[in-house]
Amino acid sequence: MSAGRQRTASPPIAGSATSDFVVVANRLPVHPAEPPSRAWEPSPGGLVPALSGVLAGRDGVWVGWSGEIGPRDAPGTHEGMRLRSVHLTQRDYDEFYLGFSNATLWPLYHDAVRTPTFHRDWFHAYRDVNRRYAESAAQVASFGGTVWVHDYQLQMVPRLLRELRPDLKIGFFLHIPFPPRELFLQLPWRHAILDGLLGADLVGFQVPGAAANFSRLARRLSGAKGTTSSIEYDGRTINVGAFPISIDSARFVERAQDPEVRARARQIRADLGDPEVVLLGVDRLDYTKGIDNRIRAVAELFADGTLHPSKHVVVQVAVPSREEDDHYVSERRHLEQIVSEVNGDHALVGRPAVHYLHQSLLMDELVAMYLAADVMVVTPFRDGMNLIAKEYVACRTDLSGALVLSEFAGAAAELKGAFFVNPHDLEGMKEAIVRAMTVAPREGRARMLRMRRTVLRHDVHAWASSFLGALARSTGRPRAIHAVQPSAGATANG
Ligand code: G6P
């Protein structure tokens, strides 16, 4: 597959414009504010807070798309990071972003919970846009520098970048699940995507199962040799591992202790009618998040009298997302239908059973919501990690509160104090919600303490340093050289 590959080295641009640390992600950490404003705002999502702390202070460059169609550049700097814009045309947006990234890969990698759509044109757009990201990174990375590529939108960048700049150390981290082989093999361009990833020196995943899926697939599909943690391919060694992402825990703790945020949390509870129990869900409005089954479960609890709107309140925040994709449009309609049915059947005048907000929240409002909620309900059908669960736990500084968590979220491997659910099992979900609502205070505190220890110890900074440390140790050299300098990932069978 890789024989005869053209290696056209493209030298970095000279001078201070280059950096020895470059992040490449689909989105930049800023996006344009709503028109007519010409201002730029920090981008939503977990990746930005995760990486801005790492880049600031290292004089790093972030290569990405501003979220706007057309040739306008984002500002050259943001909070100590240098930014380099990749421009997307309307066609790129339709075929690379909405198409291949979000209607082919996203559903395929999330257990095909919606049927993935396969279009050759979309794949060609994906490859072309990946090439542009690789070219931008090649121009700003200094000789021998490190480039960290992120997520499913950019899986071909490692290979394309290596062809342009063989001197670079290249890491790739996948934020979403990596599917089992049976699903990945459906992809008509499976060789190209796999070969793209194998251009990296280190490929990181959220959980060990995803890393194992990838290594098995590489051996089966590309003839690579090796183990789960170390693959020999194309004369190089590629290290593979699990690096569960986390949050800026100290920042959430600090906001959760702020008197104004705490006052706002009390106000939220008062506005909700001072109920006995507040149940909260916060998700991007996405069909992978299992919001519909969660609302169905609470609807049944209202119907059988376990919940009563005079005492119990559900708040569901659904952050608008990918609103031009048909699956997302119909998911929104579907959810709003269910919410209105629950309220129609069970609300009292002035006391809705489910408060539904289709909005994004600023950080302080989100933290106040976490503080106002007795039970956080996180029930994705499949999720790479789920940072909302970790944010809730970080904010519960007094050890109150309980977490109901899907066993199919990456966070389930770490947050062992949660009440686990199979989001497809309505009865099990109802039981877990009731157990979380009625847990004895002592047991509840012990569970929260256990989870908080994990989240406070393993924060986003620990995540980034563990990935970058492993990347720094990846030599990329074949195993014969490893025999001289043994590494943890090296195996005996080569
Ligand atoms: C997930 C993905 C990110 C993505 C985010 C928001 O968390 O892993 O790569 O940026 O969703 O989605 P969007 O399509 O708006 O970038």
Side-chain angles (χ1 to χ4, degrees):
M1 185 176 0
S2 54
R5 195 172 271 131
Q6 191 76 29
R7 295 196 194 276
T8 334
S10 102
I13 50 179
S16 62
T18 65
S19 171
D20 62 10
F21 186 61
V22 177
V23 162
V24 189
N26 180 42
R27 285 185 186 275
L28 284 169
V30 293
H31 71 280
E34 285 294 314
S37 168
R38 301 274 297 165
W40 294 86
E41 294 174 343
S43 296
L47 186 59
V48 176
L51 290 181
S52 46
V54 184
L55 273 159
R58 293 185 66 152
D59 198 27
V61 180
W62 186 316
V63 176
W65 170 52
S66 70
E68 183 178 73
I69 291 162
R72 180 159 72 125
D73 274 340
T77 57
H78 173 72
E79 292 184 1
M81 296 172 275
R82 288 190 276 149
L83 309 184
R84 169 139 179 148
S85 301
V86 174
H87 302 135
L88 295 192
T89 64
Q90 182 66 50
R91 188 165 177 189
D92 296 331
Y93 179 79
D94 292 342
E95 299 189 345
F96 155 75
Y97 172 75
L98 286 178
F100 199 76
S101 296
N102 288 315
T104 306
L105 295 172
W106 180 269
L108 183 72
Y109 283 30
H110 286 87
D111 281 358
V113 50
R114 291 289 179 279
T115 305
T117 305
F118 301 123
H119 276 312
R120 279 166 284 191
D121 288 350
W122 291 359
F123 172 70
H124 296 146
Y126 183 84
R127 186 192 53 201
D128 294 347
V129 173
N130 271 236
R131 181 170 291 122
R132 298 213 304 271
Y133 277 85
E135 284 165 357
S136 275
Q139 285 172 7
V140 294
S142 42
F143 188 83
T146 296
V147 179
W148 191 1
V149 184
H150 289 265
D151 226 354
Y152 63 103
Q153 304 93 342
L154 302 179
Q155 293 172 100
M156 293 179 78
V157 169
R159 168 67 60 203
L160 294 165
L161 183 56
R162 181 165 301 285
E163 287 172 3
L164 295 168
R165 293 286 308 277
D167 58 292
L168 296 175
K169 187 155 275 207
I170 303 171
F172 179 90
F173 183 76
L174 185 70
H175 291 251
I176 70 171
F178 191 79
R181 199 173 63 195
E182 295 69 23
L183 280 177
F184 187 88
L185 289 177
Q186 289 183 11
L187 194 61
W189 309 279
R190 56 201 190 181
H191 287 285
I193 297 293
L194 178 62
D195 184 58
L197 291 168
L198 289 169
D201 295 297
L202 172 66
V203 185
F205 298 90
Q206 299 278 24
V207 292
N213 283 349
F214 175 75
S215 300
R216 262 198 305 271
L217 178 82
R219 289 197 297 268
R220 155 96 188 257
L221 205 57
S222 72
K225 300 272 182 290
T227 63
T228 296
S229 57
S230 172
I231 295 173
E232 302 292 313
Y233 175 72
D234 196 19
R236 297 167 41 248
T237 299
I238 297 104
N239 291 325
V240 179
F243 301 86
I245 197 170
S246 192
I247 58 166
D248 190 346
S249 313
R251 183 145 176 256
F252 278 91
V253 170
E254 189 255 313
R255 295 322 298 150
Q257 288 173 330
D258 182 90
E260 280 182 25
V261 175
R262 298 191 80 83
R264 173 67 191 141
R266 286 192 295 275
Q267 185 62 49
I268 290 171
R269 282 192 83 102
D271 291 346
L272 292 170
D274 276 324
E276 283 173 23
V277 179
V278 176
L279 297 140
L280 175 66
V282 178
D283 310 80
R284 265 188 321 100
L285 201 168
D286 194 297
Y287 52 78
T288 61
K289 300 291 184 183
I291 309 172
D292 50 350
N293 274 13
R294 180 187 318 161
I295 304 285
R296 275 202 195 99
V298 295
E300 291 191 13
L301 291 171
F302 279 114
D304 70 15
T306 307
L307 299 183
H308 191 275
S310 64
K311 294 190 285 190
H312 307 105
V313 164
V314 178
V315 178
Q316 176 63 54
V317 180
V319 177
S321 183
R322 305 178 193 160
E323 292 186 287
E324 280 150 303
D325 180 306
D326 289 346
H327 282 314
Y328 290 76
V329 172
S330 54
E331 184 65 15
R332 179 177 175 191
R333 275 205 213 103
H334 170 60
L335 277 181
E336 293 180 352
Q337 173 84 29
I338 305 177
V339 168
S340 95
E341 280 170 16
V342 183
N343 282 330
D345 290 344
H346 303 294
L348 305 174
V349 172
R351 305 293 290 254
V354 177
H355 290 248
Y356 168 79
L357 307 179
H358 182 246
Q359 299 163 18
S360 12
L361 302 183
L362 294 175
M363 182 172 183
D364 278 3
E365 183 70 1
L366 182 63
V367 172
M369 285 277 187
Y370 292 147
L371 291 175
D374 303 289
V375 180
M376 184 82 210
V377 194
V378 181
T379 57
F381 296 126
R382 177 62 70 190
D383 209 333
M385 175 52 62
N386 199 290
L387 295 177
I388 295 289
K390 292 189 171 181
E391 290 172 3
Y392 176 73
V393 165
C395 289
R396 305 304 298 198
T397 53
D398 63 0
L399 305 185
S400 64
L403 175 67
V404 173
L405 180 60
S406 164
E407 59 194 66
F408 303 125
E414 294 170 88
L415 301 181
K416 296 293 189 195
F419 294 86
F420 288 108
V421 292
N422 168 0
H424 302 279
D425 171 12
L426 283 182
E427 286 304 321
M429 205 139 55
K430 283 158 61 181
E431 278 165 30
I433 289 171
V434 171
R435 282 174 59 220
M437 276 169 40
T438 55
V439 64
R442 192 188 163 95
E443 182 190 335
R445 278 197 304 276
R447 285 171 174 266
M448 190 55 78
L449 179 65
R450 187 174 177 197
M451 295 193 286
R452 280 180 58 75
R453 281 202 179 121
T454 306
V455 170
L456 297 186
R457 194 180 313 128
H458 184 75
D459 67 1
V460 70
H461 307 293
W463 166 73
S465 30
S466 88
F467 184 92
L468 291 172
L471 180 57
R473 289 189 298 277
S474 307
T475 65
R477 290 186 296 247
R479 198 172 290 127
I481 296 171
H482 277 174
V484 182
Q485 274 186 319
S487 81
T491 59
N493 62 345

